[in-house]
Amino acid sequence: MKKVFIQTYGCQMNEYDSQQMLQVLSAKGFEKTTRPEEAQLLLINSCAVREKSEVKALSFLGRIAKLKKTDPSKVIGFGGCVGQTEGPKLLKRHSFLDFAFGTNNYRELPQMIEDFEHRWADTSADDERDTLLPSFRPDSKSQAFITITNGCDKFCSYCIVPFTRGRELSRMPEEIVAEAEILVQRGVSEIMLLGQNVNSYWGKNQSGRYTKLHELLHIFQKESEGGKLSGLKRLRYTTSHPRDFDEDLARDFRDLEILCEYLHLPFQAGSDAVLKRMRRFYRIDSYLRKLEKLREYSPDIALSTDIIVGFPGETREDFQKTLDVLRQVEFDNAYYFKYSARPYTRSEQMEDDVSPEEKTERIQALKELQRSISRKKYREDIGRKVEIMLEGPSRTKSHLWTGRTRGNRLVHLPKEDTFANGDILWAEILDATHCWLDGRRLDLPRAIVA
Ligand code: 5AD
Ligand code: SF4
């Protein structure tokens, strides 16, 4: 059987795309390998969102080029967000690169590799499969992703996504539910709905009616109650945009049992002046008001966020406001990034005037503050009884298993023979760090602990 190696960078949407690539290629007789040296086909699914991620993908390309020196029959394809905009340039620059592709045409991979198939003459032919399985799942994980929107129309001034993934498109609700149904039949217990901005989901259904995200979530709830999605236990979505996150969506966290109490809502910067230059189209007080409302509906909801430090013109006073937001909201987790200018974006024209040292200092300050907040919040769970979904054995400690709370917190607990991925059980939390909880299984039926 021919083997394909895929190196994925970036967000969960890229991970989803890589799984789709595997699915398309498995129908052509390929199987996945994690060892580049044994693969006939090597693909890079790149991320362009920050300069650092682009550099990583390009240096990996350099590494696999060396493999081709010893085995010229290897075929190398460069895809994803960098491939989308820079593909032709890369092909000109690197003679070892066989083809490049973008974010929207990976379904055509079988056609793209046709020109190179003669290189593997002796490994092909025998194993063509004719079934193309939707939502192919190469592992036994109990969680799966489904992309519901692709692309973005927001054009935040620093962001390359609208150029790499194009205009925002929403999939049909029926198609999404059908994909979820197949996943659930294969044992998936938790689904994460994905998009650059899922809050603006606006999918046309078969009868031509438009469906909002809020309505799609209700469809999932209904179908999970003895319908097409019976067996689905948890639902999440990401990423949200503060401007489009509305009260209907906030209320859903109270009303929909299947929807986990966790929201990733990037605020990017605490200063209104910076937000304006970022073209985020909200002020920080309206962001905070939305979170207040959300907490009225779902008091214990876990929140996480993204922050960019050192956006052009961000002063120390501006940055203090970002720290203030962290103190005020007390997120479970925050992901912070040093600003880097990206091609095609508006902010590329602005002077990148915060020094690298200053950016590093600001990241450090965020890290320290957030770490103490996460630690405090995680430790509040000590002594509590929490519902967790099992995710499999711990990668580092053989006597432990891992699970996740509805608020997405990682829990370690002693392994038991009956444990299976996707099982829901109750645990008592015994200890906590800033990024995981230690617990023990409780023998309680679900109904007793509310
Ligand atoms: N520089 C740094 N961080 C960026 N992000 C997006 N574009 C840039 C950039 N040019 C961050 C944002 C976004 C996350 C996915 O990446 O915080 O939410
Ligand atoms: Fe980029 Fe802004 Fe769209 Fe998010 S909302 S993908 S940051 S343009």
Side-chain angles (χ1 to χ4, degrees), residues 47-288:
C47 167
V49 83
R50 288 172 295 277
E51 194 182 352
K52 207 166 150 187
S53 42
E54 182 169 333
V55 169
K56 268 196 208 160
L58 292 172
S59 75
F60 190 78
L61 180 63
R63 269 173 53 198
I64 56 174
K66 288 194 191 127
L67 291 175
K68 201 165 171 176
K69 282 201 181 131
T70 49
D71 177 3
S73 77
K74 289 199 185 310
V75 174
I76 302 181
F78 192 96
C81 298
V82 182
Q84 178 77 25
T85 54
E86 309 301 312
K89 262 193 240 165
L90 289 170
L91 282 170
K92 257 197 219 157
R93 202 177 309 147
H94 303 297
S95 55
F96 60 80
L97 185 61
D98 294 301
F99 66 101
F101 57 104
T103 48
N104 296 323
N105 59 343
Y106 55 76
R107 281 179 200 80
E108 289 131 43
L109 274 170
Q111 290 81 346
M112 290 183 224
I113 59 175
E114 256 166 27
D115 288 348
F116 311 102
E117 274 172 330
H118 62 274
R119 292 192 201 160
W120 320 309
D122 48 348
T123 44
S124 58
D126 57 339
D127 45 23
E128 296 272 307
R129 285 188 223 158
D130 56 5
T131 43
L132 182 57
L133 304 170
S135 296
F136 168 81
R137 237 166 25 100
D139 48 39
S140 59
K141 283 192 185 153
S142 46
Q143 305 104 316
F145 300 131
I146 300 182
T147 291
I148 63 165
T149 69
N150 191 19
C152 186
D153 293 344
K154 283 280 185 285
F155 288 90
C156 300
S157 65
Y158 52 81
C159 186
I160 197 173
V161 167
F163 306 96
T164 55
R165 289 208 170 248
R167 293 294 67 70
E168 185 182 292
L169 290 173
S170 294
R171 294 176 67 195
M172 282 175 80
E174 291 89 346
E175 198 183 293
I176 294 167
V177 172
E179 188 165 334
E181 190 179 355
I182 293 167
L183 289 168
V184 172
Q185 278 167 5
R186 291 192 195 154
V188 163
S189 308
E190 175 177 314
I191 287 179
M192 169 88 96
L193 305 176
L194 296 179
Q196 266 79 34
N197 172 15
V198 280
N199 301 159
S200 63
Y201 173 78
W202 192 233
K204 202 176 186 176
N205 73 7
Q206 267 162 357
S207 25
R209 204 185 139 266
Y210 282 95
T211 307
K212 289 168 54 172
L213 177 63
H214 156 69
E215 295 165 300
L216 184 67
L217 300 176
H218 278 256
I219 295 173
F220 267 77
Q221 174 70 43
K222 197 167 140 258
E223 294 293 349
S224 71
E225 296 166 3
K228 289 182 187 149
L229 306 181
S230 315
L232 182 66
K233 296 167 188 159
R234 289 181 169 188
L235 183 66
R236 304 179 191 274
Y237 59 79
T238 201
T239 291
S240 293
H241 190 294
R243 199 177 151 83
D244 299 332
F245 184 82
D246 61 18
E247 193 162 347
D248 281 342
L249 288 170
R251 201 181 304 108
D252 289 340
F253 284 106
R254 181 195 67 188
D255 295 345
L256 304 182
E257 202 191 332
I258 198 161
L259 185 64
C260 288
E261 293 77 15
Y262 169 78
L263 178 70
H264 182 66
L265 195 64
F267 73 94
Q268 311 293 3
S271 147
D272 286 338
V274 174
L275 286 174
K276 192 163 183 197
R277 287 201 302 284
M278 286 179 162
R279 290 175 44 88
R280 290 290 288 177
F281 299 107
Y282 53 83
R283 287 176 203 268
I284 204 66
D285 61 354
S286 72
Y287 176 86
L288 294 171

Side-chain angles (χ1 to χ4, degrees), residues 11 48-51 156-161 239 264 266-268 278 280 305-309 311 335-342 345 347:
C11 61
V49 83
R50 288 172 295 277
E51 194 182 352
C156 300
S157 65
Y158 52 81
C159 186
I160 197 173
V161 167
T239 291
H264 182 66
F267 73 94
Q268 311 293 3
M278 286 179 162
R280 290 290 288 177
T305 197
D306 287 348
I307 297 163
I308 297 178
V309 303
F311 185 78
Y335 303 91
Y336 5 82
F337 309 103
K338 291 179 191 171
Y339 170 76
S340 58
R342 305 306 295 133
T345 60
S347 70

